[in-house]
Amino acid sequence: MSAQHIHILYIDDEINNLTAFKAAFRRLYTVYTAASATEAEQLLAEHEIHIIISDQRMPKMTGIEFFESILDKYPEPIRILLTGYADINAVIDAINKGQVYKYFSKPWNEEELKHNIEKAYEVFSLRRENKELTAKLLDVNEKLEFLLRQKLIS
């Protein structure tokens, strides 16, 4: 799959950061931006998102709280946390509660972030493929069990 097919949702309450992110990555990926958790949830409902990148410190909800709040409804997207603050507790919470794949400091390094977006998408693809293969395997097992029962009956 080409990089353009990677769909990223970036959430940040600072409009300048949203603009900078979109300017840096829109030629490489399909980029959606949201200035709030509410806006982000709307975009998640409307589009298939592979990677969610969120700022940690936002007015109504932290990035970790947002990730936690969408975990049941949207478990597939890979989560990346960005923050301008070095807060080790936030990092620990991000990993434990929000199932965050990576943590980056602001301002982000474009090449490093691009590299990690590519790696995150590999993880996303492998998880999806694994899920599909598991479903196929279960289906084949059911068919085999049915055939075996038929043979035992006759």
Side-chain angles (χ1 to χ4, degrees):
M1 181 177 264
S2 75
Q4 191 64 42
H5 288 99
I6 298 175
H7 294 200
I8 299 171
L9 171 59
Y10 177 52
I11 308 139
D12 197 319
D13 61 309
E14 293 177 44
I15 303 302
N16 292 343
N17 289 339
L18 295 175
T19 306
F21 185 88
K22 199 158 196 164
F25 295 107
R26 68 185 160 83
R27 285 186 184 87
L28 299 170
Y29 314 113
T30 301
V31 176
Y32 301 95
T33 57
S36 69
T38 308
E39 211 178 306
E41 279 209 61
Q42 185 64 43
L43 288 166
L44 281 167
E46 294 169 2
H47 305 280
E48 180 185 25
I49 302 294
H50 305 129
I51 299 166
I52 304 170
I53 301 174
S54 179
D55 183 29
Q56 167 59 6
R57 296 209 178 175
M58 296 184 287
K60 291 182 181 156
M61 185 183 277
T62 67
I64 295 161
E65 289 168 343
F66 173 72
F67 286 151
E68 233 184 320
S69 76
I70 63 163
L71 205 50
D72 288 339
K73 198 169 183 184
Y74 303 102
E76 289 89 14
I78 304 297
R79 295 150 172 74
I80 295 175
L81 191 70
L82 280 177
T83 186
Y85 306 90
D87 180 356
I88 192 65
N89 290 328
V91 176
I92 293 166
D93 279 353
I95 293 162
N96 294 338
K97 294 180 182 175
Q99 294 189 2
V100 169
Y101 171 75
K102 283 278 184 185
Y103 171 90
F104 289 97
S105 295
K106 282 182 181 177
W108 61 78
N109 172 311
E110 210 170 297
E111 275 308 305
E112 186 183 11
L113 193 52
K114 179 183 173 293
H115 172 76
N116 281 282
I117 286 169
E118 304 287 336
K119 290 288 174 205
Y121 185 74
E122 280 179 35
V123 171
F124 176 88
S125 297
L126 288 170
R127 284 181 183 170
R128 176 172 278 177
E129 187 181 348
N130 191 17
K131 197 174 177 181
E132 288 168 5
L133 289 171
T134 300
K136 285 179 186 173
L137 185 62
L138 290 171
D139 184 49
V140 168
N141 276 343
E142 282 178 23
K143 288 174 181 162
L144 282 172
E145 284 177 17
F146 174 76
L147 290 171
L148 184 61
R149 280 194 301 273
Q150 294 298 90
K151 192 169 184 164
L152 289 173
I153 292 168
S154 60

